[in-house]
Amino acid sequence: MISLTDEQRLIQETAREFVDNEVVPKARDSDRAQRFDPELARRVGEMGYLGAPVAEEYGGRDLDYFTYGLIVEEIGRGDSAMRTVVSVVTSLVCSSIVRWGSEEQKQQWLPGLCTGETLGCFGLTEPDTGSDASNLKTRAEKVDGGWRINGGKMWISLGNYAKLAMIFAQTDPEKKHKGLACFLVPTDADGFSSQEIHGKLGLKGSDTAELSLDGVEVPDSALMGQVGDGFKIAMSALDSGRYSVAAGCVGICQGSLDASVAYAKERTQFNRPIASFQLVQEMIADMVVQTEAARGLVWRAGWLKDQGKPSTTETSIAKLYATEAAVNCADRAIQVHGGSGYVDDHPVERYWRDARVTTLYEGTSQIQKLIIGRAYTGINALIP
Ligand SMILES: Cc1cc2nc3c(=O)[nH]c(=O)nc-3n(C[C@H](O)[C@H](O)[C@H](O)COP(=O)(O)OP(=O)(O)OC[C@H]3O[C@@H](n4cnc5c(N)ncnc54)[C@H](O)[C@@H]3O)c2cc1C
């Protein structure tokens, strides 16, 4: 039986209170207005929830991954748009700089990212390159003292607000994934532009952008790691990002369950609370089981990360299960709410719309299954 330490419990309760007081009250309005709320993102940073696992000397809180997951679960329960900020800034950007950045890069970027003063984005996906991440078309060419980058990135969370963009680019197409490199690009560089993507099904309170890099020049010091490390950096970032997405999805499961139990006890039909009907209890029981199972898988992945043990497969298992469970629990929650679940007086329809993307990004559910299958068979079925 896993039990939380007093410190973990306190951090969890503080995050829960913050989310209930400051995130939940704004979630519906941001969703309706389809507006990213940078002020709230800044508050999330002030609370120490961006860069929480980063060392204190760089502005983080030096928390372990397990405890970070507890915070992300709470924020995911409140609003997936804010959870996206935490996942991108902390797990994709900060974790990569901590692991692969030079001392100079750490000092330059981490303190601002951890407070939320500087938002960062993760530029891997391109219009023609999604699941096949090694096949990037964005080109980085060596010039005197630096690099010139040309290309485009698609579906980039926070791309219109970030001051820093992690850009993955090909330095030598003949080398395929071994030619990839990762650059820390200031978004005010000449030739860098972004455009908002409209019409999303969910995550309407989150910013999503298309990026264009038109002859963007960066100095040698912007290269993170070595030329050829790009693919490894992307995969290690996703390992961390998937954990964060999975933890946020446990929050969606829990929120769906909480809302359903409250509604089912209050709503009466046939002169009794709908919670007294066996078929309604079945839906609630299904949500309980999926929530607990998802949380258990996320906790296992977090624990392995903190032990420094291999956790890629376990993280994929947690991501696959928790994201599908979030879609399922939110769907069941709408069912429990009947017609009321179809409008945004209750959070459940937003949970469902926001959950839907989680089985797509940071590796689709199919890609997670192929990672798990490869680990157990030793055969790579990603490329038939
Ligand atoms: C709201 C949103 C935010 C995002 N934020 C970011 C971000 O911040 N940074 C970033 O870099 N990207 C981001 N993404 C992009 C996201 O990671 C990609 O959409 C995802 O990786 C899938 O790529 P794709 O859309 O090109 O789909 P495709 O790769 O074209 O996949 C289409 C379908 O084919 C399946 N498929 C593909 N290859 C295989 C295979 N080998 N075997 C079996 N099935 C396969 C997929 O599972 C899927 O069902 C975001 C996307 C969205 C929608």
Side-chain angles (χ1 to χ4, degrees):
M1 168 74 186
I2 302 172
S3 60
L4 305 184
T5 63
D6 288 346
E7 192 197 356
Q8 285 169 334
R9 212 170 280 286
L10 181 66
I11 289 172
Q12 184 186 46
E13 278 162 17
T14 309
R16 192 167 291 160
E17 234 168 76
F18 167 73
V19 167
D20 286 338
N21 293 337
E22 299 193 41
V23 177
V24 171
K26 292 184 168 171
R28 185 178 69 171
D29 288 348
S30 297
D31 181 71
R32 276 190 180 176
Q34 308 199 19
R35 177 186 169 269
F36 173 63
D37 185 344
E39 293 84 23
L40 186 57
R42 189 68 211 272
R43 276 291 295 143
V44 171
E46 282 168 6
M47 290 298 292
Y49 298 152
L50 300 177
V54 174
E56 281 176 13
E57 61 176 308
Y58 299 115
R61 288 180 66 186
D62 219 356
L63 292 184
D64 55 40
Y65 256 81
F66 187 98
T67 312
Y68 165 59
L70 299 176
I71 295 170
V72 180
E73 177 186 329
E74 291 305 324
I75 297 177
R77 178 180 59 79
D79 184 2
S80 291
M82 276 304 126
R83 197 274 307 150
T84 299
V85 178
V86 178
S87 297
V88 170
V89 172
T90 311
S91 286
L92 294 177
V93 180
C94 286
S95 297
S96 300
I97 298 176
V98 166
R99 174 145 181 213
W100 297 91
S102 65
E103 188 52 38
E104 190 191 332
Q105 288 167 339
K106 287 179 191 174
Q107 299 210 4
Q108 182 180 1
W109 294 111
L110 288 175
L113 290 165
C114 290
T115 56
E117 198 184 318
T118 305
L119 292 177
C121 67
F122 180 79
L124 181 65
T125 308
E126 300 178 350
D128 295 332
T129 306
S131 301
D132 185 9
S134 60
N135 196 18
L136 298 180
K137 303 284 187 294
T138 297
R139 274 290 264 130
E141 284 169 293
K142 191 78 191 83
V143 293
D144 239 10
W147 296 84
R148 183 182 299 127
I149 308 173
N150 279 291
K153 297 288 172 182
M154 190 69 188
W155 308 117
I156 307 305
S157 302
L158 301 178
N160 295 300
Y161 288 83
K163 288 188 184 156
L164 165 68
M166 268 176 78
I167 296 293
F168 294 86
Q170 180 57 266
T171 61
D172 181 352
E174 287 192 357
K175 289 189 178 155
K176 301 202 167 139
H177 76 278
K178 291 188 175 146
L180 294 180
C182 177
F183 298 91
L184 297 176
V185 180
T187 56
D188 60 3
D190 284 346
F192 190 106
S193 61
S194 67
Q195 235 186 339
E196 191 176 342
I197 295 176
H198 295 282
K200 289 178 293 184
L201 170 70
L203 278 190
K204 290 176 185 278
S206 172
D207 174 59
T208 314
E210 186 171 354
L211 306 181
S212 170
L213 293 100
D214 187 8
V216 172
E217 294 206 4
V218 290
D220 284 323
S221 60
L223 174 70
M224 188 156 73
Q226 306 295 318
V227 172
D229 283 344
F231 193 68
K232 284 188 270 179
I233 296 174
M235 292 306 113
S236 77
L238 289 173
D239 219 11
S240 166
R242 285 168 187 161
Y243 173 71
S244 188
V245 171
C249 283
V250 177
I252 295 179
C253 293
Q254 187 67 54
S256 300
L257 173 61
D258 293 346
S260 299
V261 169
Y263 186 81
K265 284 162 80 170
E266 190 193 296
R267 171 79 176 166
T268 57
Q269 286 295 288
F270 301 94
N271 292 324
R272 66 192 64 179
I274 60 168
S276 66
F277 299 124
Q278 290 180 355
L279 292 176
V280 172
Q281 286 207 6
E282 185 200 36
M283 290 192 274
I284 288 173
D286 285 346
M287 281 186 246
V288 171
V289 172
Q290 289 181 48
T291 304
E292 297 281 327
R295 184 177 289 120
L297 290 171
V298 168
W299 283 15
R300 177 178 70 163
W303 181 82
L304 287 169
K305 284 182 196 303
D306 289 333
Q307 301 299 309
K309 298 191 175 182
S311 62
T312 298
T313 310
E314 289 77 6
T315 303
S316 278
I317 293 171
K319 199 267 180 185
L320 172 63
Y321 187 83
T323 56
E324 296 284 349
V327 175
N328 207 269
C329 286
D331 184 69
R332 294 296 79 196
I334 293 173
Q335 197 68 20
V336 170
H337 282 70
S340 303
Y342 201 66
V343 289
D344 65 5
D345 296 341
H346 296 275
V348 292
E349 61 84 41
R350 176 169 50 82
Y351 282 149
W352 182 77
R353 288 185 288 106
D354 288 353
R356 194 60 193 82
V357 74
T358 64
T359 71
L360 299 174
Y361 64 19
E362 309 226 5
T364 63
S365 286
Q366 287 71 34
I367 296 299
Q368 305 311 321
K369 286 179 184 172
L370 293 169
I371 292 170
I372 297 162
R374 181 179 61 191
Y376 276 77
T377 63
I379 299 167
N380 184 4
L382 270 160
I383 304 160

PDB file of all heavy atoms in Angstrom, residues 133-145:
ATOM      1  N   ALA A 133       8.430  11.139 -35.812  1.00  0.00           N
ATOM      2  CA  ALA A 133       9.134  12.358 -35.391  1.00  0.00           C
ATOM      3  C   ALA A 133      10.573  12.456 -35.890  1.00  0.00           C
ATOM      4  O   ALA A 133      11.185  13.523 -35.830  1.00  0.00           O
ATOM      5  CB  ALA A 133       9.104  12.463 -33.869  1.00  0.00           C
ATOM      6  N   SER A 134      11.125  11.347 -36.383  1.00  0.00           N
ATOM      7  CA  SER A 134      12.516  11.418 -36.839  1.00  0.00           C
ATOM      8  C   SER A 134      12.616  12.038 -38.240  1.00  0.00           C
ATOM      9  O   SER A 134      13.694  12.368 -38.709  1.00  0.00           O
ATOM     10  CB  SER A 134      13.134  10.019 -36.858  1.00  0.00           C
ATOM     11  OG  SER A 134      12.402   9.206 -37.736  1.00  0.00           O
ATOM     12  N   ASN A 135      11.462  12.205 -38.864  1.00  0.00           N
ATOM     13  CA  ASN A 135      11.451  12.607 -40.268  1.00  0.00           C
ATOM     14  C   ASN A 135      11.184  14.104 -40.444  1.00  0.00           C
ATOM     15  O   ASN A 135      10.352  14.491 -41.262  1.00  0.00           O
ATOM     16  CB  ASN A 135      10.358  11.769 -40.963  1.00  0.00           C
ATOM     17  CG  ASN A 135      10.490  11.780 -42.461  1.00  0.00           C
ATOM     18  OD1 ASN A 135      11.545  12.118 -43.001  1.00  0.00           O
ATOM     19  ND2 ASN A 135       9.409  11.452 -43.134  1.00  0.00           N
ATOM     20  N   LEU A 136      11.890  14.926 -39.673  1.00  0.00           N
ATOM     21  CA  LEU A 136      11.606  16.364 -39.691  1.00  0.00           C
ATOM     22  C   LEU A 136      12.110  17.024 -40.970  1.00  0.00           C
ATOM     23  O   LEU A 136      13.160  16.667 -41.505  1.00  0.00           O
ATOM     24  CB  LEU A 136      12.275  17.038 -38.481  1.00  0.00           C
ATOM     25  CG  LEU A 136      11.808  16.584 -37.094  1.00  0.00           C
ATOM     26  CD1 LEU A 136      12.561  17.349 -36.002  1.00  0.00           C
ATOM     27  CD2 LEU A 136      10.307  16.783 -36.933  1.00  0.00           C
ATOM     28  N   LYS A 137      11.345  18.043 -41.404  1.00  0.00           N
ATOM     29  CA  LYS A 137      11.738  18.779 -42.624  1.00  0.00           C
ATOM     30  C   LYS A 137      12.421  20.108 -42.273  1.00  0.00           C
ATOM     31  O   LYS A 137      13.111  20.685 -43.112  1.00  0.00           O
ATOM     32  CB  LYS A 137      10.495  19.081 -43.468  1.00  0.00           C
ATOM     33  CG  LYS A 137       9.687  17.840 -43.869  1.00  0.00           C
ATOM     34  CD  LYS A 137      10.371  17.088 -44.994  1.00  0.00           C
ATOM     35  CE  LYS A 137       9.526  15.943 -45.528  1.00  0.00           C
ATOM     36  NZ  LYS A 137       9.304  14.844 -44.578  1.00  0.00           N
ATOM     37  N   THR A 138      12.194  20.600 -41.070  1.00  0.00           N
ATOM     38  CA  THR A 138      12.845  21.864 -40.676  1.00  0.00           C
ATOM     39  C   THR A 138      14.359  21.678 -40.746  1.00  0.00           C
ATOM     40  O   THR A 138      14.893  20.686 -40.235  1.00  0.00           O
ATOM     41  CB  THR A 138      12.408  22.275 -39.252  1.00  0.00           C
ATOM     42  OG1 THR A 138      11.010  22.503 -39.278  1.00  0.00           O
ATOM     43  CG2 THR A 138      13.122  23.528 -38.777  1.00  0.00           C
ATOM     44  N   ARG A 139      15.026  22.640 -41.404  1.00  0.00           N
ATOM     45  CA  ARG A 139      16.467  22.508 -41.673  1.00  0.00           C
ATOM     46  C   ARG A 139      17.271  23.507 -40.847  1.00  0.00           C
ATOM     47  O   ARG A 139      16.900  24.671 -40.746  1.00  0.00           O
ATOM     48  CB  ARG A 139      16.741  22.793 -43.152  1.00  0.00           C
ATOM     49  CG  ARG A 139      16.595  21.619 -44.067  1.00  0.00           C
ATOM     50  CD  ARG A 139      17.673  20.549 -43.897  1.00  0.00           C
ATOM     51  NE  ARG A 139      18.774  20.694 -44.839  1.00  0.00           N
ATOM     52  CZ  ARG A 139      20.051  20.698 -44.506  1.00  0.00           C
ATOM     53  NH1 ARG A 139      20.423  20.614 -43.246  1.00  0.00           N
ATOM     54  NH2 ARG A 139      20.983  20.797 -45.439  1.00  0.00           N
ATOM     55  N   ALA A 140      18.370  23.031 -40.294  1.00  0.00           N
ATOM     56  CA  ALA A 140      19.325  23.936 -39.643  1.00  0.00           C
ATOM     57  C   ALA A 140      20.631  23.841 -40.422  1.00  0.00           C
ATOM     58  O   ALA A 140      21.164  22.746 -40.611  1.00  0.00           O
ATOM     59  CB  ALA A 140      19.537  23.534 -38.197  1.00  0.00           C
ATOM     60  N   GLU A 141      21.095  24.990 -40.916  1.00  0.00           N
ATOM     61  CA  GLU A 141      22.353  24.996 -41.676  1.00  0.00           C
ATOM     62  C   GLU A 141      23.411  25.763 -40.903  1.00  0.00           C
ATOM     63  O   GLU A 141      23.133  26.817 -40.329  1.00  0.00           O
ATOM     64  CB  GLU A 141      22.136  25.689 -43.023  1.00  0.00           C
ATOM     65  CG  GLU A 141      21.393  24.839 -44.015  1.00  0.00           C
ATOM     66  CD  GLU A 141      20.980  25.669 -45.215  1.00  0.00           C
ATOM     67  OE1 GLU A 141      20.130  26.556 -45.033  1.00  0.00           O
ATOM     68  OE2 GLU A 141      21.523  25.442 -46.296  1.00  0.00           O
ATOM     69  N   LYS A 142      24.615  25.228 -40.927  1.00  0.00           N
ATOM     70  CA  LYS A 142      25.714  25.881 -40.195  1.00  0.00           C
ATOM     71  C   LYS A 142      26.100  27.159 -40.925  1.00  0.00           C
ATOM     72  O   LYS A 142      26.271  27.167 -42.148  1.00  0.00           O
ATOM     73  CB  LYS A 142      26.903  24.908 -40.130  1.00  0.00           C
ATOM     74  CG  LYS A 142      27.989  25.353 -39.182  1.00  0.00           C
ATOM     75  CD  LYS A 142      27.626  25.086 -37.719  1.00  0.00           C
ATOM     76  CE  LYS A 142      28.588  25.756 -36.751  1.00  0.00           C
ATOM     77  NZ  LYS A 142      28.346  27.156 -36.444  1.00  0.00           N
ATOM     78  N   VAL A 143      26.203  28.247 -40.166  1.00  0.00           N
ATOM     79  CA  VAL A 143      26.751  29.499 -40.698  1.00  0.00           C
ATOM     80  C   VAL A 143      27.853  29.937 -39.735  1.00  0.00           C
ATOM     81  O   VAL A 143      28.030  29.326 -38.681  1.00  0.00           O
ATOM     82  CB  VAL A 143      25.644  30.595 -40.818  1.00  0.00           C
ATOM     83  CG1 VAL A 143      24.618  30.235 -41.872  1.00  0.00           C
ATOM     84  CG2 VAL A 143      24.969  30.861 -39.478  1.00  0.00           C
ATOM     85  N   ASP A 144      28.538  30.989 -40.083  1.00  0.00           N
ATOM     86  CA  ASP A 144      29.621  31.476 -39.220  1.00  0.00           C
ATOM     87  C   ASP A 144      29.124  31.782 -37.811  1.00  0.00           C
ATOM     88  O   ASP A 144      28.255  32.638 -37.636  1.00  0.00           O
ATOM     89  CB  ASP A 144      30.165  32.787 -39.839  1.00  0.00           C
ATOM     90  CG  ASP A 144      31.634  32.635 -40.146  1.00  0.00           C
ATOM     91  OD1 ASP A 144      32.125  31.494 -40.048  1.00  0.00           O
ATOM     92  OD2 ASP A 144      32.262  33.665 -40.467  1.00  0.00           O
ATOM     93  N   GLY A 145      29.632  31.075 -36.831  1.00  0.00           N
ATOM     94  CA  GLY A 145      29.297  31.395 -35.434  1.00  0.00           C
ATOM     95  C   GLY A 145      27.924  30.926 -34.989  1.00  0.00           C
ATOM     96  O   GLY A 145      27.499  31.218 -33.867  1.00  0.00           O
TER      97      GLY A 145
END
